[in-house]
Amino acid sequence: VSISKLGHKFAASAINTSDGGTVRVFELINNDWQQSSADISGDSSGNQFGFSIELTRDGSNLVVGCRPCDYVRIFTELSGGL
């Protein structure tokens, strides 16, 4: 789990899924936590996509690490979510 420093977004990951891992991003809207984008999935089974995750201070960027594939993916907020 990673929480933006401003406290209005958080990301959570599940690494042992059939697609290799899934990350979900939530945003606090009107005192209600809502998923702010579609699920972000790994690229193949067994990759543990989402092993490490980090939101930037304002929650506009998300870095997702994958183990054992030794790469990170960076997601940037475009419009209405990551």
Side-chain angles (χ1 to χ4, degrees), residues 1-81:
V1 173
S2 178
I3 302 170
S4 68
K5 302 297 184 234
L6 298 179
H8 68 293
K9 283 189 180 180
F10 77 91
S13 64
I15 59 172
N16 292 320
T17 62
S18 62
D19 57 8
T22 301
V23 177
R24 292 182 177 161
V25 179
F26 296 87
E27 185 171 7
L28 187 61
I29 300 172
N30 296 324
N31 291 321
D32 184 35
W33 288 104
Q34 299 177 17
Q35 190 169 349
S36 63
S37 65
D39 288 358
I40 303 169
S41 297
D43 51 12
S44 65
S45 180
N47 270 355
Q48 296 186 1
F49 178 78
F51 181 79
S52 57
I53 57 176
E54 186 68 34
L55 280 169
T56 56
R57 180 182 179 279
D58 64 358
S60 64
N61 297 294
L62 172 68
V63 178
V64 180
C66 176
R67 188 182 83 167
C69 37
D70 296 326
Y71 70 79
V72 297
R73 288 173 57 189
I74 300 171
F75 299 89
T76 301
E77 184 174 32
L78 299 174
S79 176

